[in-house]
Amino acid sequence: MLIKKAEQIKPSEITPKEIYQQRRHFLKTSVNTGLGLAASGLLATRAADVFAGYGLKTLNHVKNSQYSLDDELTKYKDVTTYNNFYEFGASKSSPAATAHKLNAEPWSIKVEGHVENPASYHLEDIITEQTLEERIYRLRCVERWSMVVPWLGFPLAELIKKVKPTSQAKFVEFTTLYRPEEMQGQRRGVLAWPYVEGLRMDEAMHPLAFLAVGLYGEVLPNQNGAPIRLVVPWKYGFKSIKSIVKIRFTAQQPVSSWTRSAPHEYGFYSNVNPDVDHPRWSQRRERRIGEFFKRKTLMFNGYAEDVAHLYKNMDLKKYF
Ligand code: MTE
């Protein structure tokens, strides 16, 4: 069992972000010098006692990832209080204020559609079977702000390989929990509930597509999509669907909630692209939370080398 109950952390035990980052660099170096195994234990315990802002459960035995960036991390407080999670209201502050009403335990995920092994998994079983990685990824919201978050999780491809999609499976559709008694935003028709998102099969199998179960050493706070969410770092943030209960393999391209509500504004692909404007604003620049000056938005959010080949012969203005 990888999930452990966090001990009570006194404020005096909280370590500043710089030290967390130093430990991360130490880990990276140690992995390269063959000390990785010992160090991964160190990261797990140290990261855990650093950012227990909400006293959440810590995730142990986390290994560092070759896919992590060296960008400065966005503060834990910002990552967990400036959120988009319309199930808890449309303002950035309402998820942190109201998401405690969500009961994320127990949790199961149904996998269905064109697969050889349809299943209903308990979250604990999935986590126990997976080796968790820490991956520092940029998340760029379509609204022109961005963050850098140390996610904990595992590649989506690992789960996909286990359920064995058939040759008919061309897309993967993800669905969020529908529970209006706990998610008060679902009592209003802002979006067609439950929230749905989708990926093409090759996007879903890409090693950067990540299922996150934690951040900053702990399990996900509810407002960030507890207990399990998608993180697709080269796409606008709304593709990174939270609190997933269903994964379905389909022959047809899924219709995501945002595409359904405004098809001219939110396309299926939604790759971060400074050259394709949102109909109501330019996507050329972005504001990284915690920084004063805006920065240039990078093609595919800076992941072009890894993912551009997926869209080789596509007109990205048409398939936005
Ligand atoms: N998932 C669900 N179920 N509901 C949402 O409203 N918002 C999306 C995405 N996933 C959203 C969602 C958007 S617009 C963004 S930018 C990211 O979550 C924000 O993730 P964060 O709050 O962890 O930064």
Side-chain angles (χ1 to χ4, degrees):
M1 187 78 173
L2 288 172
I3 299 182
K4 272 183 43 181
K5 186 95 184 99
E7 283 145 45
Q8 282 299 76
I9 314 260
K10 296 185 214 111
S12 59
E13 290 172 349
I14 293 173
T15 317
K17 181 172 82 183
E18 299 71 54
I19 300 192
Y20 176 86
Q21 285 180 314
Q22 275 167 23
R23 286 185 182 130
R24 193 160 62 71
H25 286 297
F26 169 70
L27 178 74
K28 270 193 175 166
T29 327
S30 329
V31 168
N32 294 339
T33 54
L35 293 168
L37 274 182
S40 63
L42 176 83
L43 176 83
T45 36
R46 295 308 188 204
D49 55 38
V50 172
F51 285 103
Y54 294 98
L56 300 177
K57 289 175 190 169
T58 58
L59 289 163
N60 286 333
H61 308 298
V62 174
K63 69 169 185 182
N64 202 262
S65 169
Q66 55 169 319
Y67 295 102
S68 277
L69 301 171
D70 274 329
D71 297 27
E72 191 178 341
L73 302 178
T74 303
K75 286 196 188 110
Y76 180 83
K77 184 147 192 265
D78 290 333
V79 172
T80 57
T81 56
Y82 190 86
N83 299 104
N84 268 345
F85 200 169
Y86 277 61
E87 285 84 339
F88 295 104
S91 82
K92 301 284 177 265
S93 56
S94 58
T98 61
H100 60 273
K101 292 180 189 151
L102 169 66
N103 193 357
E105 256 182 50
W107 195 271
S108 53
I109 303 181
K110 261 201 191 125
V111 183
E112 56 182 47
H114 295 298
V115 281
E116 281 177 30
N117 303 326
S120 184
Y121 291 104
H122 293 297
L123 183 75
E124 293 82 2
D125 296 336
I126 299 181
I127 292 179
T128 309
E129 287 167 23
Q130 297 296 336
T131 307
L132 295 188
E133 292 175 37
E134 181 191 63
R135 290 202 180 181
I136 295 164
Y137 274 175
R138 304 183 187 117
L139 184 133
R140 163 63 155 82
C141 189
V142 74
E143 295 164 296
R144 294 166 292 177
W145 50 266
S146 65
M147 295 194 184
V148 181
V149 182
W151 302 105
L152 302 172
F154 57 92
L156 171 61
E158 297 295 320
L159 186 69
I160 296 182
K161 281 182 217 150
K162 220 163 106 153
V163 298
K164 298 202 171 127
T166 67
S167 58
Q168 282 166 286
K170 306 289 182 221
F171 296 90
V172 193
E173 181 191 80
F174 304 85
T175 307
T176 294
L177 176 74
Y178 178 68
R179 200 182 281 163
E181 6 12 310
E182 294 176 15
M183 301 170 123
Q184 94 275 0
Q186 289 180 333
R187 293 178 219 151
R188 295 171 166 217
V190 196
L191 284 173
W193 308 114
Y195 195 101
V196 169
E197 256 311 335
L199 295 174
R200 212 171 56 189
M201 202 62 193
D202 56 345
E203 297 178 319
M205 287 300 291
H206 193 282
L208 286 173
F210 198 59
L211 278 170
V213 294
L215 57 83
Y216 265 115
E218 299 178 349
V219 296
L220 288 174
N222 285 357
Q223 59 269 36
N224 292 92
I228 184 163
R229 67 168 298 167
L230 193 63
V231 186
V232 194
W234 69 95
K235 292 178 179 281
Y236 291 118
F238 67 87
K239 299 293 287 183
S240 293
I241 181 172
K242 297 176 168 181
S243 305
I244 298 167
V245 290
K246 192 164 72 180
I247 300 180
R248 195 159 70 94
F249 291 79
T250 65
Q252 307 298 328
Q253 183 172 296
V255 181
S256 65
S257 295
W258 283 106
T259 307
R260 192 180 292 279
S261 88
H264 302 297
E265 301 196 10
Y266 307 103
F268 176 76
Y269 286 94
S270 286
N271 292 315
V272 174
N273 189 339
D275 301 330
V276 176
D277 292 344
H278 184 278
R280 289 182 281 141
W281 56 76
S282 156
Q283 292 290 14
R284 292 220 164 273
R285 300 176 77 72
E286 67 190 59
R287 191 172 69 85
R288 191 160 287 180
I289 302 295
E291 291 182 355
F292 183 74
F293 293 108
K294 286 193 175 159
R295 23 167 106 215
K296 276 191 184 161
T297 289
L298 302 173
M299 188 64 198
F300 296 113
N301 202 21
Y303 298 90
E305 243 179 66
D306 301 290
V307 300
H309 68 275
L310 298 176
Y311 312 102
K312 218 173 22 198
N313 296 316
M314 287 173 68
D315 175 354
L316 297 180
K317 287 204 161 66
K318 184 170 171 206
Y319 297 101
F320 63 91

